[in-house]
Amino acid sequence: MLRRKNRNALFKKIGFIAIVVLLLWLIGRTIPYLFRAEAPDEAAAIVEEFYNYEQAGDFGSSWELFHPLMKERFPKSVYLQSRAHIFMQHFGVETFDFEMEKPEREFDVTVIDGVKPFPEAYRIGITQQYTGTFGQFKIVQTCYVVQDGEEWTLLWYYPKHGDSPDESSE
């Protein structure tokens, strides 16, 4: 009889310790996410800063906010010439207004076809409203903001042909 009671007490102790270890593990995994509450605000701030630079024609400063993949896709000199040439010379616009959607947190996101998915990203839709030589027009663009080391950086969405941002995140 004495051995059975000791065995039950031992199982209770082991069970209690296992539950405590499990709870500590769960708390340890959750704590980093508690401090990421500001992440959507930071993501929105990067996009707003980017398009404020673009509005002012400061394409060099906006380029600096790109993720390295975007910088690779558009070397700085090419980006500066292309943006100024297309919007200012071809479309005859001097500035534009823009509206941003609320950041949407997504996981395992393929932003550029053929590039490894990002484990976490914030999708923000942008609508740019132009008035120029050809009248008024809008450009709707999907941006993603991801962390590159300690910095938040911006990427434009380059889907497979026919995909939309909503389809790629499912």
Side-chain angles (χ1 to χ4, degrees):
M1 277 285 197
L2 207 52
R3 286 190 168 174
R4 181 168 273 173
K5 286 184 182 179
N6 285 341
R7 195 176 286 168
N8 286 340
L10 180 63
F11 286 136
K12 285 182 182 179
K13 286 180 183 177
I14 291 172
F16 177 74
I17 290 171
I19 289 172
V20 168
V21 168
L22 178 65
L23 287 174
L24 289 173
W25 179 78
L26 288 172
I27 290 169
R29 299 259 312 160
T30 306
I31 286 175
Y33 293 102
L34 296 176
F35 297 106
R36 294 189 55 83
E38 72 280 353
D41 295 335
E42 290 179 25
I46 290 298
V47 172
E48 186 170 10
E49 183 179 1
F50 179 89
Y51 283 99
N52 282 333
Y53 285 139
E54 294 273 301
Q55 274 183 320
D58 186 358
F59 303 118
S61 293
S62 60
W63 184 87
E64 294 295 333
L65 298 174
F66 273 147
H67 185 276
L69 289 171
M70 292 295 297
K71 289 178 177 179
E72 190 177 301
R73 187 179 202 114
F74 297 108
K76 191 171 188 176
S77 61
V78 171
Y79 184 77
L80 296 175
Q81 287 178 331
S82 296
R83 293 297 274 191
H85 183 76
I86 290 168
F87 289 101
M88 294 177 169
Q89 292 175 2
H90 278 290
F91 291 149
V93 299
E94 292 182 20
T95 189
F96 60 91
D97 293 322
F98 68 94
E99 296 175 5
M100 293 175 29
E101 294 176 358
K102 182 179 155 194
E104 300 265 341
R105 185 177 184 197
E106 297 182 2
F107 299 96
D108 295 321
V109 179
T110 301
V111 177
I112 299 172
D113 191 34
V115 174
K116 184 179 123 183
F118 291 96
E120 179 182 13
Y122 287 89
R123 178 172 47 103
I124 302 174
I126 301 294
T127 302
Q128 301 167 63
Q129 302 164 5
Y130 294 91
T131 301
T133 305
F134 302 106
Q136 291 184 335
F137 56 97
K138 293 181 181 182
I139 295 177
V140 177
Q141 190 165 33
T142 301
C143 299
Y144 282 91
V145 179
V146 298
Q147 270 193 300
D148 182 46
E150 293 294 314
E151 294 185 22
W152 289 95
T153 58
L154 183 136
L155 295 114
W156 286 329
Y157 179 62
Y158 289 92
K160 290 185 270 186
H161 184 67
D163 280 355
S164 72
D166 295 327
E167 291 171 356
S168 68
S169 62
E170 292 178 2

